[in-house]
Amino acid sequence: MQFKDIPGHEATKKFLIQTVKENRISHAQLFLGPEGSGKLALAIAYAQYVTCQHRTESDSCGVCPQCQKYQKLIHPDLHFVYPVVTSKNNSKPVSDNYLTEWRNFVLKRNYHRLDDWYDFIGSENAQGSIFAQESQEIIRKLNLKTFESEYKIMIIWMAEKMNETCANKLLKMIEEPPAKTLFVLVAENEEAILTTIRSRTQLVKINRPDIDNIVESLRVEFPNADAIKLENSAMLADGNYLEAVSAMKQFESGVVETPEFELFTTLMRESFSLKYDQIIKLSDSLSKLGREKQKRFFDYCQRMIRECFMLSSVSRDLVKLTPGELKFAEKFAQFIHAGNISQISELFADAYRNIERNAYGKLVFTDLAIKLSGQLRMKRG
């Protein structure tokens, strides 16, 4: 993967390239950015630039033996760690158990989402993690001599998913790694990473791509798409390329709205009417979703609530909604106002945290719907 394959991020690319030119490569770096920002792709492109035998002023050459192996993610001095799930056949999984799937997943596109990865490996309702046994594999690999290049490079994707035991075992290795070892931690939630790990890394912030960058990437993935659809998808994405892809797929297929929208509208209607039998039925359906999909649904709800508040109380010009979402929001927005926006947002945040802690899904959704009822019925102050 090369820098030229990732539109935008010019300042970040320039900074990373400069550190290599000036031989100022920090041995442990944290690439921090929101979902859909292309941070994993940037980490791989950076690792390839470090390894390239004939790097240019702006990118790796793309043709030397080192680059060719990087482009297939098979370079012997490039290592990956990522969240995996336990199964009946493997109670102590490590990343290498999923290496073939990982390469196929990463090479599919330059933007990556955690729940897409879980779907790719068929995790069903299991929540992935980077388990304690992974630290032993990391230490073992990095204590080996390099095979072909100057640097051994370890990219840890979704580093916030490292459990505490794994993270603690890596502290010394990250602080005092073997010579010519490079750690690149890729994460979305800085606060979920142990402070002792964060303090040992150099922070590289990866911002959301702008609309033009998203359109440029969409043109590659949807070469025959209408320009207006591309621009509308990029606008609705709010800087998340993966959301832009979802929007484009809707436009291309003729599907009016996403499953999340249908679930959101049903949840709001049943909560407002407080029909317990319907709430129980809906909660049962929602509880059958995988936990990552449940958390993603809560994120979607937060966005819809925010947009409804903007529509009713701030400015219609700032609202980013699909036609179907806007049609619903124009009627529903009256129930979201300054008197309840914070409380409703906190209800979804609490539900998200409870699901993340493996709470019983049906109970979480039922409790959420009942509490929402009170907030939606609250009159404007």
Side-chain angles (χ1 to χ4, degrees):
M1 194 169 294
Q2 295 177 271
F3 286 126
K4 68 179 180 62
D5 298 324
I6 312 157
H9 304 292
E10 297 308 323
T12 301
K13 293 175 186 176
K14 184 178 179 180
F15 166 76
L16 293 172
I17 289 168
Q18 200 66 27
T19 63
V20 178
K21 288 180 180 178
E22 298 175 359
N23 198 26
R24 294 187 293 106
I25 299 174
S26 176
H27 70 271
Q29 302 179 41
L30 173 59
F31 280 41
L32 183 69
E35 179 184 275
S37 59
K39 55 192 175 295
L40 176 60
L42 279 170
I44 297 172
Y46 171 56
Q48 182 169 324
Y49 188 78
V50 170
T51 305
C52 178
Q53 294 173 311
H54 305 295
R55 65 177 78 102
T56 69
E57 289 293 306
S58 60
D59 214 336
S60 52
C61 72
V63 296
C64 71
Q66 309 282 11
C67 284
Q68 289 179 9
K69 290 177 182 178
Y70 257 81
Q71 287 164 0
K72 297 178 182 178
L73 304 182
I74 59 173
H75 195 288
D77 296 313
L78 172 66
H79 307 284
F80 288 101
V81 165
Y82 34 84
V84 294
V85 295
T86 58
S87 65
K88 292 180 180 179
N89 298 324
N90 193 350
S91 61
K92 293 185 177 181
V94 293
S95 297
D96 281 355
N97 297 144
Y98 295 88
L99 187 55
T100 299
E101 293 90 340
W102 172 254
R103 287 169 176 159
N104 292 335
F105 174 74
V106 173
L107 293 174
K108 192 175 180 180
R109 66 160 57 106
N110 292 340
Y111 301 83
H112 309 90
R113 176 186 286 149
L114 183 59
D115 57 339
D116 289 341
W117 166 239
Y118 289 155
D119 284 345
F120 198 81
I121 60 175
S123 69
E124 297 180 347
N125 202 34
Q127 290 197 93
S129 181
I130 299 173
F131 298 103
Q133 59 269 19
E134 194 78 64
S135 59
Q136 299 167 7
E137 284 296 297
I138 294 172
I139 293 169
R140 180 186 66 81
K141 290 175 181 177
L142 296 183
N143 276 318
L144 298 173
K145 292 182 179 180
T146 57
F147 287 87
E148 297 180 9
S149 61
E150 184 181 8
Y151 276 87
K152 290 170 291 188
I153 301 178
M154 175 65 68
I155 297 178
I156 304 179
W157 182 60
M158 299 303 291
E160 60 266 54
K161 289 295 183 178
M162 276 194 291
N163 71 23
E164 190 171 346
T165 301
C166 178
N168 282 325
K169 286 183 177 181
L170 290 179
L171 285 176
K172 184 173 178 60
M173 173 64 78
I174 291 177
E175 185 172 20
E176 299 176 4
K180 299 297 182 179
T181 297
L182 172 58
F183 276 97
V184 181
L185 280 62
V186 181
E188 295 175 3
N189 183 0
E190 184 178 11
E191 296 304 314
I193 302 173
L194 283 182
T195 303
T196 47
I197 292 284
R198 297 204 312 265
S199 65
R200 288 164 169 77
T201 62
Q202 178 187 48
L203 179 63
V204 179
K205 284 196 173 183
I206 311 298
N207 297 320
R208 295 182 183 274
D210 61 30
I211 290 178
D212 290 340
N213 297 146
I214 292 176
V215 169
E216 186 178 344
S217 293
L218 286 174
R219 282 201 184 99
V220 175
E221 196 156 348
F222 301 90
N224 300 317
D226 179 77
I228 294 176
K229 290 180 180 178
L230 293 172
E231 291 177 6
N232 287 340
S233 298
M235 183 272 293
L236 290 169
D238 193 26
N240 184 336
Y241 177 77
L242 295 168
E243 291 297 329
V245 170
S246 296
M248 270 303 304
K249 287 180 177 178
Q250 289 177 58
F251 285 135
E252 294 285 274
S253 66
V255 174
V256 178
E257 297 301 339
T258 63
E260 288 90 350
F261 172 72
E262 301 298 334
L263 288 172
F264 174 78
T265 56
T266 303
L267 176 61
M268 294 302 108
R269 290 189 181 108
E270 302 303 347
S271 296
F272 185 82
S273 62
L274 202 57
K275 295 179 179 178
Y276 289 104
D277 57 336
Q278 294 301 314
I279 287 175
I280 296 297
K281 184 178 179 180
L282 176 61
S283 298
D284 186 54
S285 297
L286 291 168
S287 67
K288 293 177 181 176
L289 298 174
R291 291 192 179 273
E292 291 302 322
K293 284 187 171 62
Q294 290 170 356
K295 291 190 288 185
R296 184 163 185 76
F297 172 62
F298 289 138
D299 285 337
Y300 177 83
C301 291
Q302 289 275 37
R303 182 180 76 83
M304 283 297 296
I305 292 297
R306 182 177 65 250
E307 295 298 323
C308 286
F309 177 72
M310 297 290 286
L311 183 62
S312 68
S313 305
V314 184
S315 172
R316 186 187 183 93
D317 295 336
L318 300 176
V319 172
K320 295 180 179 180
L321 296 169
T322 67
E325 289 172 341
L326 181 60
K327 184 177 180 180
F328 174 81
E330 285 175 332
K331 297 178 180 179
F332 178 70
Q334 62 181 305
F335 301 105
I336 309 298
H337 47 79
N340 64 9
I341 178 67
S342 295
Q343 292 89 333
I344 291 176
S345 295
E346 189 58 31
L347 285 177
F348 283 114
D350 283 343
Y352 185 103
R353 287 190 288 267
N354 287 332
I355 289 297
E356 199 165 38
R357 293 166 184 163
N358 290 316
Y360 181 44
K362 191 171 183 178
L363 182 61
V364 171
F365 283 106
T366 302
D367 180 67
L368 171 66
I370 292 171
K371 289 178 178 176
L372 276 173
S373 179
Q375 293 298 327
L376 293 175
R377 292 166 179 267
M378 183 182 294
K379 294 182 179 180
R380 289 176 177 269

